Amino acid sequence: MKRKCAVLTEPKKFQIIEEELPQVQPHEVLVEVEAIGLCHSDMPTYLGDSQLGFDKRGHMAMIKDIQYPAHIGHESVGIIKEIGSDVTDYKVGDYVAFMPAVAGFSSHLVVPTAFCIPIPSEVPREELKYCLAEPLMCVGNIVKVANPSLGETVAVVGCGMMGLLTIAGLKHSAASKIIAVDVQESRLELARKFGATHTINPTQCDLTDMVDELTNNLGADVVVEITGSLRGLKTALKVIRYGDLLGAAGRGKVLIPSLYSREETWDPEIGYELAYRSPVLHSVHPLYAEDYIKVAKESIEACTKGILPIKDLITHEFALEDIQDGFDLMESGDPSYIKGIIKP
């Protein structure tokens, strides 16, 4: 059987090809892909800067020498069409998503069942395309680690898809205030809809003063920095709670779930804020989770219950043949774009 897939043949250039699928092995399943999410963490590979690979010790690492053609795409969901002879926990017709190790800009995938994440059969067929387990798992992981205590203040820096879903999840936490920070008023409007109690556009006011006013000059207890840039980290450090030699000191928590893969110049002010506010910088990429599959299942359940309403944030759909348009739009910074999916 052949599949159609998009491969990156050089920086910023996709080619659609057909290739033979491998035979389904005893512990594998053949899946017809329903949708694949476009993710900014694929952008370094798309631009030709770097990609996720493995070092000489077999550990995941940044690879600068990208080998083309490259298969990317890791937010796939689909329907099982064939099962291996030893598969007992899935059947033909089941809905599944995958761990991010699976390259997925393809019409079909052959995947070990260990990489599969079940999607409830109650999900309407037409809404399966929204059950993107990988970004949902990332959000679930963030919300679990943020874990604000009763009455604490949480700030979210960056109101893209991940930031907005994080706000939606935190709405169900013990936080007394959820402060959304972004430079686009349209995103702040969405943040209020999704559960932010306060919104701040730092281009229109002094951000630190505004947060101090909302927190009795203490700063936020938890900040989720989700832009993946040093500029965003600097913003987070401007609002995390203060250290104090003679009183309650430091130990605010800054979550950094995004991929910091840009070449940026270090700003010395970041160093001062790190020293004087002394927060915990907590990397909460998916590998931080003790049980990836468990968190993914919980996050999908939260999605089906409307707690993480990802379908409200999918603004663009593209055919596989139009994947170039999808990546170009994602790179452009167009404010109308929040989340895109590929429909093979």
Side-chain angles (χ1 to χ4, degrees), residues 158-172:
C159 295
M161 186 272 291
M162 295 289 289
L164 291 167
L165 285 184
T166 296
I167 289 168
L170 289 170
K171 181 175 69 173
H172 299 271

Side-chain angles (χ1 to χ4, degrees), residues 6 17 72 92 99 110 123 133 136 205 223 235 251 262 270 335:
I17 65 170
I72 58 174
V92 171
M99 296 177 69
V110 175
V123 172
L136 288 168
C205 64
V223 181
T235 299
R251 303 297 290 177
R262 310 176 192 178
I270 294 175

Side-chain angles (χ1 to χ4, degrees), residues 238-266:
K238 288 285 188 182
V239 301
I240 193 64
R241 75 185 189 206
Y242 293 86
D244 188 343
L245 290 174
L246 302 177
R251 303 297 290 177
K253 186 165 58 176
V254 177
L255 274 60
I256 46 175
S258 293
L259 181 65
Y260 288 81
S261 61
R262 310 176 192 178
E263 287 194 8
E264 298 178 89
T265 301
W266 178 262

